[in-house]
């Protein structure tokens, strides 16, 4: 992973392959942001004019490279756009800094070191730049050859020109300041875990089946002192986990339920996180149409986010108990697969008529939610790439939030927005519940087509223990990015919801949920 250092060096004196400065869109053209004063001086106070000549406008994410002027130690200056310039007494938005740093880090692929001279007036801004740079430098290269016919996974290194930026030096900071040091340490741990989630999401399904995912959790538990328990197919059958078994019975790779937990001796609160972990989703007998299968390795993004958040909580030593439940299965069509019309008996004892085997995520989550409820946590949050309906409603960059408590839903939404994850609170209309009435079972796994994302949330609510505060994050849109990279968001797995879950755990630890 890219290294991060705090440096007192100025943009003029840092020895690096490049120095990164920020520019913005002002009323009369390009404006040079704070932190770049030494670079502007080296250009005789005409850095903005030079950049405009090269076509720069200061627009968000815009990257312009130019040779350094005399007096600068770094040979290259990289100017990155921050968007609209703030008012005289205002600072740059943290998310703008995060995205700009990510764009710059991506543009510096193949470099050994870059000095980031973006506006870092306080530890919060420094954290934003750090996160953006570390996340922007990410790339998934495990399966690429190095040009000599040798797969990188076999032990060979990739071409240095395509390697991620090796080191980020955050300039103008205070390495000995407690707040800056804590911000840097948190950013490193958080970025490492988001990138862990991204790696898992990007792994091909022939290498990441439920058993392999469970092994990843066991390895991390050993490394970071976490408690882990894995229920295999025999234990699931003995325990009556009909949802997980029903979804996974058509696949050769059997399902797993993983419990991974961070505990703290001083903790007074417990947060349970539940993740949908469909390591490949063909739709089962209700087979997905052509063109909808190619990215279905990402249907375990919720479990990846939960796993990463629990490990992050441990790395940060949070004074809160965080328990992650990974509901892992493959959804495949075969002679042994669950059929539309079958009835499953869930872990809770409720029966579910399966009307569509492609509505499988709610079935594995239902078992995990019931099991998590037995430990009576203070709150449960589930995370899932659950419905295409949520993508239709909110697009590809925003996840939906539902809850059985309005205040908790508001808190989760505010936390998500604070950490830079786009989200939106969604309702749970009671009239949609009737559409899941079944003539043969307690409930069906499908209801009305319109409002399908809300129907899925109402289904999950049925399996949350009485009196337990619960929220559901449908990350179907932002979990996997199919377009060109932007900001700190790469192509492929994004690690959506990890930042929200970690901040929620921090707020739970301090009792500050608003």
């Amino acid at each position: 992973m890219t290294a991060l250092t705090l440096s007192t060096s100025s943009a003029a004196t840092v020895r690096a392959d490049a120095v990164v400065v920020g520019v913005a869109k002002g009323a009369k053209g390009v404006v040079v942001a704070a932190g770049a004063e030494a670079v502007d001086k080296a250009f005789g106070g005409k850095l903005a004019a030079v950049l405009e000549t090269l076509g720069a406008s200061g627009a968000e994410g815009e990257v312009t490279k130019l040779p350094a002027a005399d007096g600068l130690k770094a040979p290259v200056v990289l100017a990155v756009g921050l968007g609209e310039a703030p008012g005289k007494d205002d600072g740059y938005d943290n998310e703008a800094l995060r995205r700009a740093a990510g764009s710059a880090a991506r543009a510096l692929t193949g470099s050994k070191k870059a000095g980031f001279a973006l506006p870092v007036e306080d530890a919060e801004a420094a954290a934003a730049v750090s996160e953006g740079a570390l996340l922007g430098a990410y790339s998934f290269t495990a399966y690429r050859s190095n040009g000599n016919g040798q797969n990188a996974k076999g032990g060979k290194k990739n071409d240095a020109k395509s390697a991620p930026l090796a080191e980020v030096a955050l300039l103008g900071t205070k390495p000995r300041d407690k707040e800056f040091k804590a911000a840097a340490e948190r950013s490193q741990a958080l970025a490492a875990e988001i990138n862990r989630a991204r790696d898992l999401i990007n792994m091909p399904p022939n290498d990441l089946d439920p058993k392999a995912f469970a092994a990843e959790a066991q390895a991390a538990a050993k490394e970071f002192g976490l408690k882990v328990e894995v229920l295999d197919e025999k234990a699931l059958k003995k325990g009556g986990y009909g949802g997980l078994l029903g979804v996974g019975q058509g696949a050769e790779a059997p399902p797993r339920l993983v419990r991974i937990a961070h505990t703290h001796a001083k903790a007074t609160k417990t947060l349970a996180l539940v993740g949908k972990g469909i390591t490949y989703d063909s739709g089962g007998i209700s087979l997905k149409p052509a063109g909808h299968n190619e990215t279905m390795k990402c249907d375990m993004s919720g479990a990846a986010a939960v796993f990463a958040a629990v490990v992050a909580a441990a790395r940060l030593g949070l004074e809160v108990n965080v328990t992650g439940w990974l509901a892992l299965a493959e959804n495949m069509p075969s002679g042994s697969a669950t059929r539309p019309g079958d009835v499953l008996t869930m872990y809770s004892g409720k029966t579910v008529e399966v009307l569509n085997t492609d509505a499988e995520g709610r079935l594995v989550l239902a078992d995990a939610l019931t099991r998590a409820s037995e430990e009576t946590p203070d709150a449960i949050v589930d995370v899932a790439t659950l419905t295409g309906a949520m993508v239709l409603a909110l697009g590809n960059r925003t996840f939906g939030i539902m809850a059985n408590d309005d205040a908790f839903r508001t808190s989760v939404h505010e936390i998500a927005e604070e950490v830079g994850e786009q989200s939106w609170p969604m309702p749970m209309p009671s009239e949609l519940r009737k559409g899941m009435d079944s003539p043969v079972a307690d409930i069906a796994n499908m209801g009305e087509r319109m409002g399908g994302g809300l129907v899925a949330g109402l289904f999950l609510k049925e399996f949350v223990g009485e009196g337990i505060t619960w929220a559901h994050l449908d990350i179907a849109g932002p979990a996997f990015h199919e377009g060109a990279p932007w900001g700190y968001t790469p192509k492929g797995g994004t690690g959506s919801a990890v930042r929200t879950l970690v901040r929620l755990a921090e707020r739970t630890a301090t009792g500050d949920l608003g």
Side-chain angles (χ1 to χ4, degrees), residues 176-198:
R176 296 183 181 180
D177 183 273
K178 289 184 179 180
E179 290 188 1
F180 276 87
K181 284 181 66 177
E185 290 170 3
R186 182 186 184 278
S187 296
Q188 287 174 299
L190 185 61
E193 293 313 312
I194 293 171
N195 289 339
R196 180 197 298 275
R198 290 170 168 181

Side-chain angles (χ1 to χ4, degrees), residues 314-371:
R315 292 178 70 148
L316 296 171
L318 302 185
E319 291 187 17
V320 58
N321 297 325
V322 184
T323 304
W325 299 88
L326 316 180
L328 309 175
E330 267 190 359
N331 186 25
M332 297 292 286
S334 71
S336 61
T338 292
R339 296 150 292 215
D342 284 355
V343 174
L344 305 177
T345 301
M346 311 297 282
Y347 178 71
S348 67
K350 289 183 179 180
T351 55
V352 177
E353 181 184 11
V354 179
L355 297 179
N356 187 324
T357 64
D358 197 23
E360 85 298 328
R362 64 199 70 182
L363 298 175
V364 301
L365 286 173
D367 276 354
L369 284 167
T370 302
R371 179 64 185 87

Side-chain angles (χ1 to χ4, degrees), residues 277-327:
I278 304 299
T279 56
Y280 183 75
D281 182 20
S282 70
I285 296 297
S286 305
L287 195 66
K288 292 180 183 292
H292 289 73
N293 294 286
E294 291 78 5
T295 61
M296 282 300 102
K297 66 181 182 180
C298 79
D299 213 18
M300 36 58 69
S301 297
V306 165
F307 175 30
V310 175
V311 178
R315 292 178 70 148
L316 296 171
L318 302 185
E319 291 187 17
V320 58
N321 297 325
V322 184
T323 304
W325 299 88
L326 316 180

Side-chain angles (χ1 to χ4, degrees), residues 208-219 228 230 256 258 326 328:
L208 191 75
D209 62 14
K211 183 180 179 180
F213 198 139
E216 292 280 346
Q218 288 172 316
V228 65
V230 178
R256 295 285 188 270
V258 177
L326 316 180
L328 309 175

Side-chain angles (χ1 to χ4, degrees), residues 168-461:
V168 170
L170 206 59
L171 307 181
T173 54
K174 305 171 184 177
R176 296 183 181 180
D177 183 273
K178 289 184 179 180
E179 290 188 1
F180 276 87
K181 284 181 66 177
E185 290 170 3
R186 182 186 184 278
S187 296
Q188 287 174 299
L190 185 61
E193 293 313 312
I194 293 171
N195 289 339
R196 180 197 298 275
R198 290 170 168 181
D199 282 347
L200 289 169
I201 297 164
N202 288 328
M203 281 184 71
N206 58 318
D207 276 352
L208 191 75
D209 62 14
K211 183 180 179 180
F213 198 139
E216 292 280 346
Q218 288 172 316
K222 184 176 181 180
E223 181 179 358
F224 296 103
L226 302 165
K227 295 179 180 178
V228 65
E229 177 186 5
V230 178
L231 299 186
D232 62 13
E233 64 272 30
K234 292 180 181 178
L236 292 172
K237 185 174 181 180
K238 183 178 180 180
Y241 292 85
L244 274 158
L245 291 167
V247 172
Q249 70 187 44
E252 289 189 15
R256 295 285 188 270
L257 179 62
V258 177
R259 178 187 186 274
I260 185 167
H262 157 69
T263 58
H264 195 284
K266 296 181 180 180
T268 60
K269 297 285 186 180
T270 297
L271 178 65
L273 308 176
V274 177
K276 173 186 173 184
I278 304 299
T279 56
Y280 183 75
D281 182 20
S282 70
I285 296 297
S286 305
L287 195 66
K288 292 180 183 292
H292 289 73
N293 294 286
E294 291 78 5
T295 61
M296 282 300 102
K297 66 181 182 180
C298 79
D299 213 18
M300 36 58 69
S301 297
V306 165
F307 175 30
V310 175
V311 178
R315 292 178 70 148
L316 296 171
L318 302 185
E319 291 187 17
V320 58
N321 297 325
V322 184
T323 304
W325 299 88
L326 316 180
L328 309 175
E330 267 190 359
N331 186 25
M332 297 292 286
S334 71
S336 61
T338 292
R339 296 150 292 215
D342 284 355
V343 174
L344 305 177
T345 301
M346 311 297 282
Y347 178 71
S348 67
K350 289 183 179 180
T351 55
V352 177
E353 181 184 11
V354 179
L355 297 179
N356 187 324
T357 64
D358 197 23
E360 85 298 328
R362 64 199 70 182
L363 298 175
V364 301
L365 286 173
D367 276 354
L369 284 167
T370 302
R371 179 64 185 87
S373 296
E374 290 181 343
E375 298 186 358
T376 60
D378 294 285
I380 298 176
V381 178
D382 76 71
V383 188
T385 48
L386 205 59
T387 65
M390 196 59 66
V391 185
L392 290 173
L394 299 177
N396 290 317
R397 295 189 181 184
T398 304
F399 62 74
I401 306 173
M402 284 167 262
N404 60 3
D405 180 276
D406 288 347
F408 188 57
R409 181 186 63 186
T410 298
S411 291
V412 174
H413 176 227
E414 290 175 348
I415 285 170
E417 295 295 304
E418 176 191 332
V419 300
E421 296 201 291
Q422 294 173 219
S423 67
W424 196 251
M426 303 295 284
M428 301 186 72
S430 58
E431 67 271 14
L432 292 178
R433 169 60 181 86
K434 185 171 179 57
M436 290 185 284
D437 287 347
S438 166
V440 297
D442 295 326
I443 190 172
N445 77 328
M446 292 291 288
E448 295 182 29
R449 180 170 177 271
M450 300 302 175
L454 311 183
V455 170
L458 286 165
F459 180 91
L460 295 178
K461 183 182 177 183

